[in-house]
Structures are given as C-alpha cells and as structure tokens.
Amino acid sequence: MSEVSVVDGGAEDGTPAPDSAENRRQVLYWRLLARLFDPEEQASLESASVAVVEDIGLPVALLDPAASVDSVVQRHPELAAEFDGLMTPEPDADGERDRAAEVRRAALASKVLLNVFSTGTGTVTAEQLARWQSDAGWLERALGCRPGDVRGGRGGTGRAGADGGVSPTGTGVGTPAPDLSRLIPEIGPELGSIEAGLVRRMHLREVLADPALAARLTPSMSLIEQLLRDKNNLSGVALANAKALIRRYVEEVTEVLRTQVEKASVGELDRSVPPKRAFRNLDLDRTIWKNLTNWDPEGERLYVDRLYYRHTSRKTTPQRLIVVVDQSGSMVDSMVNCTILASIFAGLPKVDVHLIAYDTQALDLTPWAHDPFETLLRTQLGGGTDGTVAMALAQPKIAEPRNTVVVWISDFYEWRTDELFESMAAIHRSGAKFIPVGSVTSSGRGSVNPWFREKFKDLGTPVISGHIKKLVHELKTFLT
C-alpha cells in the first residue's frame, strides 16, 4: 500500500473521501496488529501511519510505543476528553457515519490498546508496572468506566470524565461503532491476567525493600495476591511496605462494598415503635394537613394542636451469618472480596458474623472478622481443597437454623464430593438458608464444578455465580 493512496484522495474542502477514510483506518489497525504480534517495526506501515496521524492533526507521539498515554495527554491536554468514552461511541443525530472522526478515533484507540496489550518480555520494574496500570486506567475510561473498575476492583457503571470523575455521557469523538462496553466481562479477566503476569516478572521483594520504589506501586488484585502469597518470606521494611499496600487496597474496596451494602434493600419500617420526637423526624406536610381545620382565615394563622413525626425504626431480627471461603489458589479474588464483605456485615447491628477459611485445613477467623486487613494476613493461600474440614467447624455454629444463613464460596472442585454435599443438603433441610457462591469477583467470571452446580439446582439452592452485588442483595434481603 503506498503512502499516497492512504493520505490523498479527499474532497476539495479537505474532507477525506469514503474510501480514503476507510484506508486510513485499516492502516492504523494493521499497524496495531503488526506491533502486537511482532515488536519489530514494519517500515511501510509505520511511515503510512505517521502520514495519517499528521494529516488528521494528531501528535506523532501517539505512535511511540514507549510513550505512555499519560505523557501524551500531559503534552496535549485537549486529548484527554477524547479518550473518555472512546470505545462506547454515541451515534450521530442524523444516523450518518462521520468517517473522518472514525479515523481519529482509530488512532487514539490504537494507542491505548497497544500500550495495554503489548507488554514485552523480561524483568518488569516498578515504574513499568505503574505505567501499565495507568494505561489500563485509560483503557477503562475509553470503555466508559472509572480506572480500576474493569480489572477487578471497584465497581461502577458511569463513564469517566476528564478529571477522573464520572459523567452521564461520554464525550469521546462521538462516532457510530460497536459498543465495546458489552465486552467488559471478557476484557476484565484478560486485563487481570496481564497485570498478574507483570507482577510475576517483577523482583517484588527488592522493590518492597526500597521505600521509593514501593511508593510507585498501585495496589491491585494481582499485586495483593502476590503479596499475600509471599508475606511469610518478607521482613523489615519490605514487610511493612507490603502491609501498607494491602491496607490501602482493603480500604479502597471496603469503601465501594460498603456503599453497595448501604444501597441494598433494608428492613421494613417498624410502626409498633413510636417515632422519635426529634425535629429532624418532624413530618411537616402531614402536620399541616392534619391541622388544616384549625386555620384562622381572618388572622391568616394555622393553630397546631398536634405534631406528627416520621417513623425511622426498622424491623430487625438478630441473625447469624456464617461465611465459609475456599482459600485455595483459584479463589484469591473471592477470598479478598468476601473477607471485606464479612467485616462490613459484622458492623451491622444484630448480625453475628462467623468467618471460616479452608483448603485442606480449616481456620476459624471469626475473632478478626471485623478487620479484613488482619484477617487477610492470617490466610494461607494455595493448596488443595477439602470442604469437609470447614464443615466440621461450621455445623456446630448453627444454633438456630431458621435464624442462620450459611454462605459457602468455592469453585466446588472437592476431594470428598458426596460427603460434603450431603452435609450441605442437611443444613438446607434444617431450615437454615444455604447460599452456594461460585465467584464473588467484580467481573463475575469463575468456574464451578458442574456436578455440584446440578446438585445445588436440584436441591433448590442454585449457585450464585456472578457479580458481588448479587451476593450483597441476597444477604441484605435475609439479614434485614
């Protein structure tokens, strides 16, 4: 393909002809694919791409794989708004395709996709990891999310604004194209896998031992998983920095999950309890309505015989929540999320929370259930799976079955399947609410043993396998 055939061929007013615009987009995307599969430059594609980018008024730095999106935006701040919602375009009002704008969007999309999905080989430094995390954040913004949402962490559905906030509509370049936001459930796990690979390629212990390098790390699920696995091999400054990163991540996720719990349904108003006679509870509209018969037309005054107050008390019953979490290697995301979730419910009034973690051995973490940071430090990730040892700890805790909910989080790839399922079925038959959960990740992606899935369905307790919001709703409905 010649450079002339890509750049020329537009109308007299400078607007590229349809075929020309399509050729330009193809050049940019072919160049993207070539660089993803082979880091070596393809001279013809590189020169053609430079011509396209320059001709549409974008900086050539967009084609530099070594330049982060942050650095490009820092030099050209007007581009920040174009990245937001870039891959969730709104159709034009007249339904026509703006081909010139599509070429511009292709150049911007190619930049962020190449930076995120081309990670090279060899050892990764703290600076390189931080750069990748930042570029991944720009990709998430392009998908209409907040940085961190897609990779696993934070939840959220709004589109990110240029200042990192959320706006109801994407600014982007506003051209019709497939809405890639529907692919987030598939993209999220892939980003998590790439990030985990980068973390494994780091000399993490050396980074943690240097406070300056450790300060460059941004806590993420992949990093937290590695820290939890390696914590027993750390000491001194390295251990202190690791704990600081874990605590930061726990606090960030706790804030998100607490908001989800607060937004979930709550108990009905308890009208058997008299309303508290405080000014903040005064029902002004009802007070005026009930006293309208005391209106004095001549003096234009309303004489109030009685004040009415709103009911704020809600019906609550003491409940026992028993959370059993598989801490084997495949369930790290669930372990972190559910440990934090258990601590939030432990803070609710009249909810008695018990937490058990297991692999081939079981550990009762109930004394630390209110503090997810301390709980995670006591976990031992990895190993095999034997749910019967956890059941031996859980069953004696069910004192009042009808007042108890047991949440069992696992992929259910167990050693003694029949024995474990029979004990779970016995809990269900006793009157306790048994909730099997296959995954509690932000992406909702997880594998569940098909044998257990069918057994639970026949029992009438289908596996919850999806977004953590589903579990929050189930628990909130039962506990309030």
Side-chain angles (χ1 to χ4, degrees):
M1 179 182 293
S2 69
E3 185 175 318
V4 174
S5 68
V6 174
V7 179
D8 295 340
E12 292 182 0
D13 62 357
T15 303
D19 289 344
S20 175
E22 186 64 26
N23 286 345
R24 293 171 180 228
R25 290 177 64 245
Q26 288 187 21
V27 164
L28 293 170
Y29 285 135
W30 276 115
R31 186 250 179 194
L32 168 64
L33 290 173
R35 294 303 294 259
L36 284 173
F37 289 101
D38 185 354
E40 293 297 323
E41 290 187 3
Q42 300 294 322
S44 59
L45 286 174
E46 291 296 326
S47 60
S49 297
V50 168
V52 170
V53 168
E54 287 181 332
D55 194 60
I56 61 178
L58 287 173
V60 178
L62 283 173
L63 300 176
D64 182 3
S68 67
V69 178
D70 266 342
S71 66
V72 174
V73 170
Q74 198 170 32
R75 296 177 185 176
H76 307 274
E78 70 280 1
L79 295 180
E82 292 194 52
F83 280 104
D84 291 325
L86 179 68
M87 298 178 185
T88 58
E90 301 290 343
D92 289 341
D94 57 6
E96 293 293 324
R97 295 172 61 192
D98 187 340
R99 293 179 181 272
E102 286 184 349
V103 176
R104 188 177 182 89
R105 202 179 88 252
L108 296 170
S110 295
K111 173 59 179 173
V112 71
L113 290 171
L114 181 61
N115 278 27
V116 170
F117 289 99
S118 179
T119 58
T121 58
T123 303
V124 174
T125 66
E127 185 176 359
Q128 288 173 321
L129 177 61
R131 172 194 146 169
W132 184 90
Q133 290 174 326
S134 174
D135 287 334
W138 282 104
L139 174 59
E140 289 165 318
R141 289 172 67 159
L143 291 169
C145 302
R146 297 182 182 89
D149 285 0
V150 179
R151 278 168 286 168
R154 316 300 196 272
T157 56
R159 292 187 175 180
D163 60 353
V166 174
S167 58
T169 59
T171 50
V173 291
T175 58
D179 187 348
L180 296 185
S181 61
R182 59 189 171 82
L183 299 178
I184 288 176
E186 286 73 35
I187 294 173
E190 294 306 322
L191 291 182
S193 177
I194 293 173
E195 186 172 19
L198 292 172
V199 171
R200 285 193 294 270
R201 286 160 53 190
M202 290 181 67
H203 292 160
L204 188 55
R205 295 180 192 177
E206 296 176 13
V207 172
L208 292 172
D210 186 332
L213 293 177
R216 296 180 184 177
L217 297 176
T218 299
S220 63
M221 180 59 71
S222 299
L223 183 58
I224 297 309
E225 175 181 349
Q226 195 66 31
L227 293 175
L228 290 175
R229 291 185 186 280
D230 206 33
K231 64 181 185 297
N232 292 333
N233 298 317
L234 301 175
S235 61
V237 174
L239 181 58
N241 286 328
K243 287 183 177 181
L245 286 165
I246 295 172
R247 186 178 290 281
R248 277 176 58 194
Y249 186 79
V250 166
E251 290 174 353
E252 290 174 8
V253 178
T254 298
E255 187 62 29
V256 173
L257 295 186
R258 182 178 288 116
T259 300
Q260 293 179 9
V261 171
E262 290 172 351
K263 287 182 178 179
S265 58
V266 295
E268 297 179 357
L269 291 174
D270 188 354
R271 300 192 180 276
S272 65
V273 178
K276 189 173 182 179
R277 297 178 179 274
F279 178 76
R280 65 176 180 275
N281 293 335
L282 179 64
D283 190 338
L284 190 58
D285 290 341
R286 189 173 179 221
T287 297
I288 293 174
W289 177 256
K290 290 290 187 179
N291 288 280
L292 280 179
T293 55
N294 299 327
W295 170 253
D296 178 6
E298 294 182 1
E300 295 185 346
R301 291 186 177 184
L302 179 66
Y303 294 93
V304 177
D305 289 336
R306 180 181 174 186
L307 296 174
Y308 291 84
Y309 297 87
R310 298 185 186 89
H311 286 79
T312 56
S313 297
R314 296 183 180 274
K315 294 181 179 179
T316 58
T317 306
Q319 305 281 8
R320 173 162 290 188
L321 169 62
I322 302 172
V323 181
V324 183
V325 190
D326 178 351
Q327 65 173 355
S328 61
S330 60
M331 298 296 293
V332 177
D333 200 340
S334 293
M335 181 73 215
V336 173
N337 279 291
C338 286
T339 296
I340 295 171
L341 191 60
S343 73
I344 294 171
F345 278 100
L348 296 179
K350 299 183 179 180
V351 178
D352 180 23
V353 176
H354 295 255
L355 180 61
I356 298 169
Y358 75 97
D359 42 38
T360 55
Q361 296 181 334
L363 181 63
D364 190 345
L365 297 169
T366 302
W368 303 279
H370 65 285
D371 188 336
F373 172 72
E374 291 295 333
T375 300
L376 288 172
L377 291 183
R378 286 169 170 77
T379 58
Q380 298 294 331
L381 302 177
T385 309
D386 184 2
T388 60
V389 296
M391 184 62 74
L393 286 180
Q395 282 179 321
K397 295 178 179 290
I398 306 175
E400 300 178 24
R402 297 197 175 277
N403 210 26
T404 302
V405 57
V406 178
V407 179
W408 198 290
I409 300 110
S410 175
D411 54 13
F412 297 100
Y413 284 94
E414 293 282 344
W415 177 35
R416 291 182 276 193
T417 55
D418 291 305
E419 180 181 347
L420 179 60
F421 178 76
E422 283 305 316
S423 58
M424 291 173 171
I427 290 177
H428 176 68
R429 290 192 294 267
S430 72
K433 184 174 180 62
F434 185 80
I435 305 177
V437 182
S439 65
V440 274
T441 66
S442 59
S443 66
R445 192 178 191 180
S447 174
V448 176
N449 186 333
W451 186 87
F452 267 96
R453 188 185 290 279
E454 289 302 315
K455 286 288 187 179
F456 285 133
K457 186 185 296 184
D458 295 340
L459 189 64
T461 59
V463 175
I464 295 178
S465 187
H467 202 287
I468 193 170
K469 288 183 179 179
K470 293 183 180 180
L471 179 57
V472 170
H473 177 75
E474 285 285 329
L475 293 177
K476 195 71 171 173
T477 300
F478 183 82
L479 294 171
T480 59

